[in-house]
């Protein structure tokens, strides 16, 4: 009998060590309640909803790992998905690296997902995984922009900012998460790129490797400001009404 190809093993890393100051004072953003359940739990469930994801690593605030572990233990997650909680670092980049360090041997595909995107649909998660399985070293879900974008010259606070360029909107995309990676590629990126970055895909770009885009979803928005919480509550209410979510 010929050898069967070994299935790809997929893990998700969720950096959740930030404070989320734009949501105002109180608990860290990832622990804010959304319909009575912390956003972090929604985000973990969103990753675990994919049958391909066998492990979720949550990177907690440096002094908050026990609290986050108790939180996840108290909420039901799919039995097929294991999870770990590890302390994070001072920056998102450092926290992702610590999450990577916690992965067991045999993981082929790594998703990196924002805890502040609690409502990403499972179809989007699966599309990212499938694109990595098909050979892409890095994959990002993204949406076309609805607004025209201007590049400006920064000015002192409160002063008008001069426009220097108007990029062609048709070539621009608003990137979401989860971002998906070949495991060894992402590890090499974190070992090689030391400058500040806004996402992990840009680290892979700096290695000279191709990053590809798959369609994102409007419900995978980032909960950053109080108005985003209102929108997220509305999405959950619609899901409960139509899907029994």
């Amino acid at each position: 009998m010929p050898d069967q190809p070994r299935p790809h093993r997929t893990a998700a890393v969720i950096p959740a060590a930030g404070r989320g100051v734009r949501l105002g004072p109180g608990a860290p953003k990832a622990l804010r309640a959304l319909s009575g359940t912390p956003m972090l739990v929604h985000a973990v469930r969103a990753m675990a909803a994919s049958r391909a994801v066998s492990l979720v690593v949550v990177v907690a605030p440096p002094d908050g790992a026990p609290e986050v572990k108790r939180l996840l233990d108290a909420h039901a997650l799919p039995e097929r998905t294991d999870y770990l909680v590890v302390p994070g670092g001072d920056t998102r980049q450092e926290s992702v690296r610590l999450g990577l360090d916690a992965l067991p041997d045999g993981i082929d595909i790594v998703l990196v997902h924002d805890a502040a995107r609690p409502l990403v649909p499972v179809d989007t998660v699966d599309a990212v995984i499938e694109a990595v399985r098909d050979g892409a070293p890095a994959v990002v879900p993204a949406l076309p922009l609805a607004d025209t974008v201007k590049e400006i010259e920064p000015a002192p606070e409160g002063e008008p900012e001069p426009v220097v360029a108007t990029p062609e909107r048709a070539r621009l995309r608003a990137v979401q998460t989860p971002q998906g990676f070949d495991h060894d590629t992402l590890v090499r990126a974190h070992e090689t790129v030391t400058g500040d970055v806004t996402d992990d895909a840009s680290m892979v770009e700096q290695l000279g490797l191709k990053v590809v885009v798959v369609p994102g979803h409007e419900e995978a928005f980032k909960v950053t400001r109080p108005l985003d919480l209102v929108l997220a509550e509305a999405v959950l209410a619609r899901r409960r009404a139509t899907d029994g979510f």
Side-chain angles (χ1 to χ4, degrees):
M1 182 176 178
D3 291 339
Q4 296 295 315
R6 184 175 66 87
H8 294 282
R9 292 190 62 206
T10 301
V13 174
I14 302 180
R19 297 297 305 181
V21 293
R22 281 177 288 182
L23 274 177
K29 177 165 56 177
L31 304 185
R32 300 293 180 91
L34 184 58
S35 286
T37 300
M39 277 201 293
L40 176 60
V41 173
H42 287 287
V44 172
R45 287 174 173 169
M47 296 300 97
S50 171
R51 302 191 68 85
V53 175
S54 58
L55 172 66
V56 179
V57 177
V58 176
V59 188
D63 58 351
E67 177 188 0
V68 171
K69 177 67 164 58
R70 288 193 295 271
L71 185 76
L72 293 177
D73 287 343
H75 290 82
L77 299 171
E79 291 185 2
R80 67 175 180 272
T81 306
D82 294 327
Y83 64 89
L84 296 173
V85 179
V86 298
D90 294 331
T91 66
R92 183 185 186 280
Q93 190 170 344
E94 183 180 356
S95 292
V96 172
R97 181 183 59 76
L98 290 168
L100 287 174
D101 290 345
L103 294 177
D105 294 337
I107 295 296
D108 303 292
I109 297 172
V110 181
L111 305 178
V112 180
H113 184 57
D114 294 332
R117 297 184 190 271
L119 303 179
V120 57
V122 66
D123 289 350
T124 302
V125 180
D126 287 340
V128 171
I129 295 170
E130 190 63 31
V132 180
R133 284 178 174 170
D134 288 344
V139 180
V140 297
L143 292 175
L145 297 183
D147 299 319
T148 297
V149 175
K150 300 289 185 183
E151 181 182 351
I152 56 91
E153 182 70 36
E157 186 175 354
E159 294 188 12
E161 298 170 322
V163 171
V164 297
T166 303
E168 184 181 348
R169 188 173 66 185
R171 295 174 60 87
L172 300 177
R173 296 292 183 270
V175 173
Q176 302 175 323
T177 68
Q179 299 184 355
F181 304 89
D182 166 74
H183 171 270
D184 293 346
T185 298
L186 185 57
V187 169
R188 180 157 67 94
H190 275 267
E191 292 173 343
T192 304
V193 179
T194 57
D196 290 336
V197 295
T198 56
D199 70 350
D200 296 271
S202 63
M203 301 173 72
V204 174
E205 290 175 49
Q206 291 186 45
L207 297 181
L209 300 177
K210 180 181 290 187
V211 177
V212 302
V213 170
V214 297
H217 196 282
E218 61 183 5
E219 292 181 1
F221 61 90
K222 192 172 186 179
V223 178
T224 303
R225 297 176 176 83
L227 185 59
D228 299 326
L229 279 173
V230 176
L231 179 57
E233 294 281 5
V235 171
L236 283 175
R238 181 193 57 77
R239 288 183 180 181
R240 285 193 297 268
T242 58
D243 306 328
F245 176 82

